[in-house]
Amino acid sequence: MEDKALRCLQNKSPIFTLGSVGPYDIQVNSLNTLMRDEQVSDEVMNSICDILSKDRPGVVHINCQALTKILDGSKRAKSHYFLKNNILERATEVFGVYLENGNHWSFFHCNVDRRCITYFNSLGETEWQCQAIAQHWSAFAASRGVKGEWDLKTTKHNLQTDSVSCGIHTLAFATEFLKAGGFITSFQCPVIQQERMRLSSLLFESLDRTKKCGICAKNISGRKKMACTCGAVLHVLCAATPMCYICQEDSNPLAQISLPASDTAAHSADPDVLVETSGSDEGSALQQGWQKRCSTQCAAAA
């Protein structure tokens, strides 16, 4: 089902909300950036890291917005109001992805007990980058009561050979690193397109598709509902047939509705929050134009 659904996405509205992983909303365009030869969006990077952190006691994922503030050395990151909860109090390991210079993904991991940092950059790790990261993380940790020197290590790996696959290299390394419990001496990134599809399948099958209607993308709670054959939950009054928007054939009128242009800008998030939603609870405002088809019925059913 996942492979069929992924193939169908190319003909669907890029701003349709498919579901969520933790607090992150995933739209059709989110998955498209992962499957196509494009740079991976921040909500996808955060979501897959969130998936990788599951069932790992003591391992805390920090979102890319917050981690970037910390590793850039932002003064805000050392304030008591940044990251309301002290993640170092309950974590044995902290990891996440770092958006360097606003356009390049890299991987960060630290073992709190060992005071050891692992840094991965698909373009290669320079000495000045390693020094800056160790210095800025050390300053942040000290502001949270974890003082002392931090060692930084890198891993031998192949280098990125294009301008857009940094996110794929980073997520592939994160997968292998966490799977090995941090004990990894070298890394060879898999074939990029194969890794894109593996990560796409992992993300799609991890989506929570029970909180929003699979047709109108509005909240499900408090309304009569039914299920699509793929597992997506639908409002009864939205569904002429028990099929979600993704499962419907292109010949279905709903799939041919003229849709507004997608806003492809990266989702913003408040770095003061450890994890942050990438969309509103009622779905993207851009979706509202085509959602008129069932908005009146949904309101009546509420």
Side-chain angles (χ1 to χ4, degrees):
M1 179 60 214
E2 286 80 10
D3 289 342
K4 179 181 178 181
L6 289 172
R7 289 195 299 270
C8 290
L9 292 183
Q10 61 183 338
N11 299 320
K12 302 300 181 180
S13 164
I15 47 84
F16 181 80
T17 299
L18 294 167
S20 60
V21 174
Y24 307 106
D25 281 350
I26 298 298
Q27 297 179 340
V28 169
N29 193 53
S30 305
L31 270 165
N32 283 340
T33 68
L34 186 54
M35 292 187 287
R36 297 172 183 167
D37 191 24
E38 299 176 14
Q39 188 169 26
V40 183
S41 59
D42 61 347
E43 71 274 13
V44 170
M45 299 296 290
N46 279 329
S47 294
I48 293 181
C49 285
D50 192 71
I51 293 167
L52 295 177
S53 70
K54 299 299 184 186
D55 301 320
R56 298 182 187 275
V59 177
V60 174
H61 163 233
I62 182 171
N63 71 41
C64 64
Q65 292 82 7
L67 185 60
T68 297
K69 286 285 185 183
I70 294 169
L71 299 184
D72 278 349
S74 169
K75 291 182 179 180
R76 185 181 178 187
K78 290 178 281 188
S79 75
H80 293 294
Y81 299 98
F82 186 82
L83 295 182
K84 304 300 190 299
N85 297 322
N86 186 356
I87 59 174
L88 300 182
E89 287 183 347
R90 57 187 176 89
T92 57
E93 300 174 52
V94 175
F95 82 99
V97 291
Y98 174 29
L99 187 59
E100 301 192 37
N101 301 315
N103 60 10
H104 179 69
W105 293 113
S106 59
F107 174 79
F108 172 90
H109 173 278
C110 79
N111 186 301
V112 179
D113 295 333
R114 297 175 184 169
R115 300 290 197 278
C116 181
I117 295 169
T118 298
Y119 169 57
F120 169 87
N121 187 323
S122 57
L123 295 176
E125 302 81 11
T126 65
E127 183 178 351
W128 70 265
Q129 284 174 317
C130 293
Q131 290 177 347
I133 286 171
Q135 178 184 350
H136 294 153
W137 178 259
S138 179
F140 169 75
S143 73
R144 294 299 184 272
V146 182
K147 299 180 180 181
E149 295 295 322
W150 290 77
D151 293 328
L152 188 147
K153 67 177 183 178
T154 59
T155 303
K156 183 179 179 181
H157 60 85
N158 63 320
L159 297 179
Q160 173 186 339
T161 58
D162 60 22
S163 62
V164 295
S165 67
C166 55
I168 304 303
H169 280 260
T170 298
L171 292 174
F173 180 82
T175 301
E176 290 302 312
F177 182 87
L178 293 171
K179 182 179 178 181
F183 297 100
I184 181 172
T185 57
S186 63
F187 171 72
Q188 179 75 26
C189 186
V191 176
I192 293 297
Q193 192 54 42
Q194 292 178 1
E195 188 65 6
R196 283 184 179 274
M197 294 311 299
R198 183 191 74 81
L199 291 168
S200 297
S201 295
L202 172 65
L203 179 55
F204 187 82
E205 67 188 20
S206 300
L207 288 175
D208 182 349
R209 303 181 68 198
T210 66
K211 295 178 180 177
K212 294 183 179 181
C213 175
I215 295 178
C216 74
K218 290 189 176 182
N219 287 348
I220 283 290
S221 179
R223 297 170 181 171
K224 293 182 179 179
K225 55 194 176 184
M226 62 190 302
C228 176
T229 53
C230 73
V233 177
L234 319 172
H235 293 137
V236 170
L237 292 178
C238 287
T241 59
M243 296 182 70
C244 72
Y245 174 56
I246 299 304
C247 290
Q248 293 175 30
E249 298 294 336
D250 292 344
S251 58
N252 188 289
L254 178 60
Q256 296 182 359
I257 292 176
S258 178
L259 296 163
S262 170
D263 180 1
T264 57
H267 293 283
S268 61
D270 184 355
D272 284 356
V273 182
L274 184 61
V275 286
E276 178 67 28
T277 57
S278 54
S280 69
D281 287 341
E282 291 298 323
S284 171
L286 292 173
Q287 290 175 302
Q288 293 177 0
W290 73 274
Q291 288 170 348
K292 290 180 180 178
R293 176 179 179 270
C294 47
S295 60
T296 302
Q297 293 174 319
C298 289

